[in-house]
Amino acid sequence: MNTTARPHGRCTLVGAGPGDPELLTLKAVKAIASATLLLVDDLVNEAVLAHASPSARIVHVGKRGGCKSTPQAFIDKMMITAVQEGEHVVRLKGGDPFIFGRGGEEVEHLRAAGIDLQVVNGITSGLAGMSSLGAPLTHREHAHGVVFVTGHAKPGDSGTDWAQLAATAKGSKLTLVIYMGVSSLEHISSGLLQGLPGQTPVAIVQHASLPNQREALTTLSELTRTMAREGLQSPSIIVVGDVVQGARAWDAQGHLSQQRIA
């Protein structure tokens, strides 16, 4: 009888950050370097993979709204099989694995298979985008908290009640950071306008932290027109709230910034 012990693998969920490879944490770099198999999401900057071992296998498993994606069940099966075969699997995700990265779902599947894992957080694009504009997400006078919310509901889910969220944001002085909201922008903005003033400041940041970052500063009532006029597309984050007034290019009329803010 073969008594050879089965190799013991492991899995690490790693946040690759918003795009700029210099925003990786040291812990993320170490995990990437030690991986034998990297499963890489679509929005991960290729420059991040420079930290991988030359012998590591790199498999791109794109997950991006509106585009052809690798089925989540297939990714889960790949991770579980590779770990059981003794590999160090790094699941590399844009931003942070636990902020709209399906990290929670993957953790559940791995644990159900008896696999423990480590999570390495990454900087999320909502934070990086606002920081690039020189503005905060919270402020003692303007924002007592921040809400990260997705504009892309799961099939069969009614999604966010934007009017109710807007009323809560107004009453509690909250900043709204909306991910994956471009395709549903008209629905989102019309809902928000039911609870927030039309002059509420808004920032839109596409490709946050990357050299090709583009942004616009506007107001809630002008949001959809601004997006169309400036040609801003996914992936973009939309930040709604008075903290946007802290952006270096903001003025009283809510004029758009005409170039990338260095």
Side-chain angles (χ1 to χ4, degrees), residues 172-194:
S172 301
K173 286 190 174 181
L174 302 177
T175 303
L176 303 181
V177 182
I178 304 168
Y179 292 68
M180 297 172 282
V182 173
S183 62
S184 304
L185 190 63
E186 288 191 16
H187 171 69
I188 292 170
S189 61
S190 64
L192 292 178
L193 283 166
Q194 294 182 49

mmCIF file of all heavy atoms in Angstrom, residues 172-194:
data_model
loop_
_atom_site.group_PDB
_atom_site.id
_atom_site.type_symbol
_atom_site.label_atom_id
_atom_site.label_comp_id
_atom_site.label_asym_id
_atom_site.label_seq_id
_atom_site.Cartn_x
_atom_site.Cartn_y
_atom_site.Cartn_z
ATOM 1 N N SER A 172 -27.324 61.380 7.520
ATOM 2 C CA SER A 172 -26.211 60.942 8.368
ATOM 3 C C SER A 172 -24.854 61.466 7.904
ATOM 4 O O SER A 172 -23.821 61.087 8.458
ATOM 5 C CB SER A 172 -26.161 59.409 8.403
ATOM 6 O OG SER A 172 -27.361 58.879 8.907
ATOM 7 N N LYS A 173 -24.838 62.321 6.892
ATOM 8 C CA LYS A 173 -23.605 62.879 6.346
ATOM 9 C C LYS A 173 -22.643 61.763 5.929
ATOM 10 O O LYS A 173 -21.551 61.609 6.475
ATOM 11 C CB LYS A 173 -22.922 63.816 7.349
ATOM 12 C CG LYS A 173 -23.605 65.154 7.515
ATOM 13 C CD LYS A 173 -22.741 66.101 8.331
ATOM 14 C CE LYS A 173 -23.347 67.492 8.375
ATOM 15 N NZ LYS A 173 -22.489 68.440 9.145
ATOM 16 N N LEU A 174 -23.053 60.990 4.934
ATOM 17 C CA LEU A 174 -22.255 59.875 4.456
ATOM 18 C C LEU A 174 -21.768 60.124 3.032
ATOM 19 O O LEU A 174 -22.492 60.679 2.212
ATOM 20 C CB LEU A 174 -23.070 58.582 4.466
ATOM 21 C CG LEU A 174 -23.660 58.144 5.807
ATOM 22 C CD1 LEU A 174 -24.501 56.889 5.622
ATOM 23 C CD2 LEU A 174 -22.566 57.912 6.839
ATOM 24 N N THR A 175 -20.549 59.708 2.754
ATOM 25 C CA THR A 175 -20.034 59.694 1.391
ATOM 26 C C THR A 175 -20.439 58.388 0.738
ATOM 27 O O THR A 175 -20.331 57.323 1.353
ATOM 28 C CB THR A 175 -18.493 59.801 1.394
ATOM 29 O OG1 THR A 175 -18.099 60.991 2.082
ATOM 30 C CG2 THR A 175 -17.944 59.828 -0.029
ATOM 31 N N LEU A 176 -20.898 58.449 -0.506
ATOM 32 C CA LEU A 176 -21.245 57.244 -1.258
ATOM 33 C C LEU A 176 -20.160 56.969 -2.293
ATOM 34 O O LEU A 176 -19.828 57.842 -3.098
ATOM 35 C CB LEU A 176 -22.594 57.413 -1.965
ATOM 36 C CG LEU A 176 -23.797 57.752 -1.081
ATOM 37 C CD1 LEU A 176 -25.057 57.871 -1.941
ATOM 38 C CD2 LEU A 176 -23.978 56.696 0.009
ATOM 39 N N VAL A 177 -19.609 55.773 -2.263
ATOM 40 C CA VAL A 177 -18.612 55.354 -3.249
ATOM 41 C C VAL A 177 -19.234 54.215 -4.041
ATOM 42 O O VAL A 177 -19.461 53.130 -3.512
ATOM 43 C CB VAL A 177 -17.307 54.900 -2.576
ATOM 44 C CG1 VAL A 177 -16.280 54.512 -3.638
ATOM 45 C CG2 VAL A 177 -16.758 56.001 -1.677
ATOM 46 N N ILE A 178 -19.522 54.468 -5.305
ATOM 47 C CA ILE A 178 -20.261 53.520 -6.140
ATOM 48 C C ILE A 178 -19.318 52.838 -7.116
ATOM 49 O O ILE A 178 -18.627 53.489 -7.904
ATOM 50 C CB ILE A 178 -21.381 54.243 -6.909
ATOM 51 C CG1 ILE A 178 -22.303 54.980 -5.928
ATOM 52 C CG2 ILE A 178 -22.185 53.250 -7.754
ATOM 53 C CD1 ILE A 178 -23.261 55.945 -6.602
ATOM 54 N N TYR A 179 -19.287 51.519 -7.029
ATOM 55 C CA TYR A 179 -18.496 50.688 -7.926
ATOM 56 C C TYR A 179 -19.429 50.093 -8.986
ATOM 57 O O TYR A 179 -20.596 49.818 -8.713
ATOM 58 C CB TYR A 179 -17.838 49.535 -7.175
ATOM 59 C CG TYR A 179 -16.762 49.917 -6.186
ATOM 60 C CD1 TYR A 179 -17.073 50.616 -5.022
ATOM 61 C CD2 TYR A 179 -15.437 49.562 -6.408
ATOM 62 C CE1 TYR A 179 -16.086 50.950 -4.107
ATOM 63 C CE2 TYR A 179 -14.445 49.884 -5.506
ATOM 64 C CZ TYR A 179 -14.776 50.574 -4.351
ATOM 65 O OH TYR A 179 -13.795 50.906 -3.440
ATOM 66 N N MET A 180 -18.896 49.845 -10.175
ATOM 67 C CA MET A 180 -19.636 49.151 -11.233
ATOM 68 C C MET A 180 -20.994 49.800 -11.499
ATOM 69 O O MET A 180 -22.002 49.119 -11.673
ATOM 70 C CB MET A 180 -19.804 47.665 -10.869
ATOM 71 C CG MET A 180 -18.494 46.920 -10.761
ATOM 72 S SD MET A 180 -18.658 45.235 -10.113
ATOM 73 C CE MET A 180 -18.849 45.547 -8.354
ATOM 74 N N GLY A 181 -21.006 51.131 -11.546
ATOM 75 C CA GLY A 181 -22.262 51.832 -11.718
ATOM 76 C C GLY A 181 -22.469 52.433 -13.094
ATOM 77 O O GLY A 181 -23.522 53.038 -13.353
ATOM 78 N N VAL A 182 -21.497 52.291 -13.988
ATOM 79 C CA VAL A 182 -21.568 52.974 -15.288
ATOM 80 C C VAL A 182 -22.759 52.495 -16.115
ATOM 81 O O VAL A 182 -23.500 53.300 -16.694
ATOM 82 C CB VAL A 182 -20.252 52.786 -16.058
ATOM 83 C CG1 VAL A 182 -20.383 53.340 -17.482
ATOM 84 C CG2 VAL A 182 -19.104 53.472 -15.329
ATOM 85 N N SER A 183 -22.973 51.192 -16.184
ATOM 86 C CA SER A 183 -24.036 50.666 -17.041
ATOM 87 C C SER A 183 -25.432 50.997 -16.526
ATOM 88 O O SER A 183 -26.404 50.980 -17.287
ATOM 89 C CB SER A 183 -23.895 49.149 -17.195
ATOM 90 O OG SER A 183 -24.019 48.505 -15.939
ATOM 91 N N SER A 184 -25.561 51.314 -15.252
ATOM 92 C CA SER A 184 -26.875 51.637 -14.657
ATOM 93 C C SER A 184 -26.930 53.079 -14.185
ATOM 94 O O SER A 184 -27.706 53.416 -13.282
ATOM 95 C CB SER A 184 -27.154 50.691 -13.476
ATOM 96 O OG SER A 184 -27.081 49.346 -13.862
ATOM 97 N N LEU A 185 -26.123 53.929 -14.795
ATOM 98 C CA LEU A 185 -25.941 55.280 -14.276
ATOM 99 C C LEU A 185 -27.234 56.082 -14.221
ATOM 100 O O LEU A 185 -27.501 56.783 -13.241
ATOM 101 C CB LEU A 185 -24.897 56.019 -15.109
ATOM 102 C CG LEU A 185 -24.448 57.361 -14.527
ATOM 103 C CD1 LEU A 185 -23.777 57.171 -13.185
ATOM 104 C CD2 LEU A 185 -23.504 58.063 -15.495
ATOM 105 N N GLU A 186 -28.049 56.020 -15.258
ATOM 106 C CA GLU A 186 -29.291 56.811 -15.265
ATOM 107 C C GLU A 186 -30.214 56.384 -14.132
ATOM 108 O O GLU A 186 -30.802 57.228 -13.447
ATOM 109 C CB GLU A 186 -29.993 56.677 -16.617
ATOM 110 C CG GLU A 186 -29.280 57.410 -17.745
ATOM 111 C CD GLU A 186 -30.142 57.490 -18.997
ATOM 112 O OE1 GLU A 186 -31.370 57.260 -18.904
ATOM 113 O OE2 GLU A 186 -29.588 57.786 -20.061
ATOM 114 N N HIS A 187 -30.350 55.082 -13.935
ATOM 115 C CA HIS A 187 -31.190 54.569 -12.849
ATOM 116 C C HIS A 187 -30.639 55.006 -11.496
ATOM 117 O O HIS A 187 -31.405 55.429 -10.605
ATOM 118 C CB HIS A 187 -31.246 53.044 -12.938
ATOM 119 C CG HIS A 187 -31.901 52.399 -11.765
ATOM 120 N ND1 HIS A 187 -33.254 52.511 -11.502
ATOM 121 C CD2 HIS A 187 -31.385 51.625 -10.763
ATOM 122 C CE1 HIS A 187 -33.547 51.838 -10.391
ATOM 123 N NE2 HIS A 187 -32.430 51.294 -9.932
ATOM 124 N N ILE A 188 -29.323 54.929 -11.326
ATOM 125 C CA ILE A 188 -28.701 55.291 -10.054
ATOM 126 C C ILE A 188 -28.873 56.780 -9.768
ATOM 127 O O ILE A 188 -29.288 57.173 -8.677
ATOM 128 C CB ILE A 188 -27.209 54.911 -10.061
ATOM 129 C CG1 ILE A 188 -27.055 53.388 -10.073
ATOM 130 C CG2 ILE A 188 -26.482 55.506 -8.858
ATOM 131 C CD1 ILE A 188 -25.632 52.918 -10.326
ATOM 132 N N SER A 189 -28.557 57.605 -10.744
ATOM 133 C CA SER A 189 -28.618 59.053 -10.511
ATOM 134 C C SER A 189 -30.043 59.531 -10.267
ATOM 135 O O SER A 189 -30.285 60.395 -9.408
ATOM 136 C CB SER A 189 -27.989 59.810 -11.688
ATOM 137 O OG SER A 189 -28.679 59.539 -12.890
ATOM 138 N N SER A 190 -31.014 58.964 -10.982
ATOM 139 C CA SER A 190 -32.402 59.386 -10.762
ATOM 140 C C SER A 190 -32.864 58.989 -9.365
ATOM 141 O O SER A 190 -33.602 59.729 -8.705
ATOM 142 C CB SER A 190 -33.321 58.783 -11.822
ATOM 143 O OG SER A 190 -33.352 57.366 -11.732
ATOM 144 N N GLY A 191 -32.408 57.837 -8.887
ATOM 145 C CA GLY A 191 -32.750 57.422 -7.534
ATOM 146 C C GLY A 191 -32.096 58.306 -6.493
ATOM 147 O O GLY A 191 -32.744 58.723 -5.517
ATOM 148 N N LEU A 192 -30.835 58.616 -6.677
ATOM 149 C CA LEU A 192 -30.122 59.466 -5.718
ATOM 150 C C LEU A 192 -30.726 60.865 -5.643
ATOM 151 O O LEU A 192 -30.762 61.479 -4.571
ATOM 152 C CB LEU A 192 -28.636 59.551 -6.085
ATOM 153 C CG LEU A 192 -27.816 58.259 -5.937
ATOM 154 C CD1 LEU A 192 -26.374 58.492 -6.398
ATOM 155 C CD2 LEU A 192 -27.834 57.759 -4.493
ATOM 156 N N LEU A 193 -31.198 61.351 -6.772
ATOM 157 C CA LEU A 193 -31.785 62.700 -6.799
ATOM 158 C C LEU A 193 -33.098 62.787 -6.023
ATOM 159 O O LEU A 193 -33.562 63.887 -5.725
ATOM 160 C CB LEU A 193 -32.002 63.144 -8.243
ATOM 161 C CG LEU A 193 -30.745 63.608 -8.976
ATOM 162 C CD1 LEU A 193 -30.990 63.711 -10.475
ATOM 163 C CD2 LEU A 193 -30.259 64.948 -8.406
ATOM 164 N N GLN A 194 -33.669 61.656 -5.670
ATOM 165 C CA GLN A 194 -34.881 61.669 -4.850
ATOM 166 C C GLN A 194 -34.576 61.959 -3.376
ATOM 167 O O GLN A 194 -35.476 62.319 -2.615
ATOM 168 C CB GLN A 194 -35.607 60.330 -4.959
ATOM 169 C CG GLN A 194 -36.162 60.053 -6.348
ATOM 170 C CD GLN A 194 -36.906 58.737 -6.410
ATOM 171 O OE1 GLN A 194 -37.755 58.452 -5.564
ATOM 172 N NE2 GLN A 194 -36.594 57.926 -7.417
#
